[in-house]
Amino acid sequence: MSFSADTKAELCRVRLLNTDTAGAECYGVLLYAHTFSPREVRIVTANNAFAERLPKLFEKAFSLSFDRADAPGEGKRSFVIHDGRKLDRLFTAFGSDRDTALSHHVNFSVLEEDDCRAAFFRGAFLAGGSITAPDKGFHLELATPHASVCRESRSLLQDMGFEPKEAARGGSALLYFKKADVISDLLTTIGASSAAMDVLNAKVERDVRNTVTRRVNCDTANADRVVSAAQEQLDAIKQIVKEYGIDALPEPLRDAALLRIANPEASLSDLAQLSYPPVSKSCLSYRLKKIITMSPRPQKADESGR
């Protein structure tokens, strides 16, 4: 199964403790479901755990059964309510009139308690949510066909300390999160603590991997600079030897030149430790720079090719 499916399966293991939280979860399911209209409720899912939870959820919250529920099988399953009396009960439970409702809005008065808010977004995620596998990136989204519900859900999340982004895709309004810490906190809030831990572990692994990569890149760049500087020093020494001979250098510079020739890939720090008598890194650097300034430039061939 996908990480998103595993997360929903974990959420479906959250116990239905009372009718208030069960009703709040149903509310989230309905507002983020495929269809919640005055004529029909239609919840469509390919997640078997969610499909098994739905009849228990609606029975616990409203003592209602679905008028049609697809049996387990391949592909998506639909759960439908079209009986007018059942629809009336659902609309009334959330403070609206089925005959006059033109659009859906989140009724904040039924979501005043923290556990009801958590249950509401658990239902929203089960019906219209998805999450990317943490090893591929950090992205959690909630999709609803109702733009007003999206806006009001965002306000509710902000009251809970979360700050989602809004977007639109096709006919759906989206709320989404991109930060691992925030996604982990939200998953913990709605009851998916194991999935939350997976997200945090993935973040730690990514941070460690990025830190190692930066250090390797830094070490590689430093090594390249050491090699480039050493090559420049060797070229200068070679020109001095060719034109004047090594003995033309003063003794401190000659010692530095011989030390570089004997250790062509060593860093300045390593060369300073090898020096006898010992010298500081800055002193050795000064001597090698002096050698470069004393080196005659290679003669270029004239235009005749001589």
Side-chain angles (χ1 to χ4, degrees):
M1 290 197 299
S2 67
F3 183 74
S4 190
D6 288 340
T7 301
K8 291 185 178 184
E10 182 182 1
L11 290 174
C12 288
R13 292 193 290 272
V14 176
R15 293 179 61 191
L16 301 173
L17 297 177
N18 54 61
T19 56
D20 288 340
T21 55
E25 187 174 326
C26 280
Y27 198 21
V29 169
L30 291 168
L31 292 180
Y32 281 79
H34 182 276
T35 304
F36 181 27
S37 73
R39 294 184 178 183
E40 180 184 69
V41 165
R42 181 181 297 271
I43 304 164
V44 181
T45 182
N47 188 280
N48 288 329
F50 181 37
E52 294 299 320
R53 185 177 180 85
L54 275 171
K56 301 173 186 177
L57 183 63
F58 277 74
E59 175 64 30
K60 179 75 173 182
F62 306 112
S63 299
L64 289 181
S65 61
F66 289 98
D67 296 326
R68 182 171 67 81
D70 291 343
E74 296 295 331
K76 296 181 178 181
R77 297 165 65 181
S78 294
F79 294 80
V80 180
I81 296 175
H82 49 68
D83 181 273
R85 290 170 298 178
K86 294 179 181 179
L87 292 171
D88 283 336
R89 289 185 62 183
L90 292 176
F91 274 80
T92 301
F94 301 119
S96 61
D97 188 330
R98 183 167 70 98
D99 294 329
T100 60
L102 298 178
S103 63
H104 286 294
H105 294 275
V106 177
N107 185 348
F108 294 98
S109 65
V110 301
L111 301 173
E112 294 181 349
E113 301 299 325
D114 290 343
D115 55 351
C116 288
R117 292 183 175 190
F120 174 80
F121 284 109
R122 180 166 58 248
F125 184 82
L126 286 170
S130 64
I131 183 171
T132 302
D135 59 341
K136 296 180 181 178
F138 302 115
H139 182 91
L140 182 150
E141 68 178 41
L142 301 171
T144 174
H146 314 290
S148 55
V149 169
C150 182
R151 292 192 301 270
E152 291 155 3
S153 294
R154 182 182 184 185
S155 296
L156 188 58
L157 283 166
Q158 288 172 329
D159 287 343
M160 296 167 65
F162 298 99
E163 193 60 56
K165 303 289 186 180
E166 283 190 70
R169 184 191 303 131
S172 296
L174 309 179
L175 296 177
Y176 68 92
F177 300 88
K178 287 287 190 181
K179 294 183 178 180
D181 293 342
V182 178
I183 291 172
S184 178
D185 288 345
L186 180 60
L187 290 174
T188 299
T189 297
I190 65 177
S193 55
S194 294
M197 186 60 66
D198 289 340
V199 172
L200 284 183
N201 287 339
K203 180 181 184 297
V204 170
E205 291 177 5
R206 177 174 292 190
D207 289 346
V208 169
R209 187 164 56 249
N210 289 342
T211 299
V212 170
T213 299
R214 284 194 298 270
R215 289 179 177 175
V216 169
N217 291 340
C218 182
D219 290 344
T220 300
N222 289 337
D224 290 343
R225 285 194 292 270
V226 168
V227 171
S228 177
Q231 188 60 53
E232 183 181 16
Q233 295 157 10
L234 288 168
D235 290 343
I237 295 168
K238 181 178 179 181
Q239 288 298 318
I240 290 174
V241 171
K242 180 179 179 181
E243 295 293 331
Y244 312 121
I246 194 70
D247 291 333
L249 291 171
E251 183 177 356
L253 301 188
R254 184 170 65 249
D255 290 345
L258 292 173
L259 193 62
R260 170 52 79 196
I261 292 171
N263 302 276
E265 297 180 357
S267 66
L268 282 178
S269 297
D270 294 337
L271 284 181
Q273 292 177 2
L274 293 171
S275 298
Y276 185 83
V279 296
S280 66
K281 177 181 174 182
S282 59
C283 178
L284 185 61
S285 176
Y286 171 80
R287 292 177 181 179
L288 290 170
K289 288 178 180 177
K290 187 68 174 176
I291 290 172
I292 292 173
T293 62
M294 294 174 61
S295 171
R297 294 184 179 181
Q299 297 295 317
K300 295 183 179 179
D302 60 24
E303 291 183 358
S304 64
R306 292 177 296 183

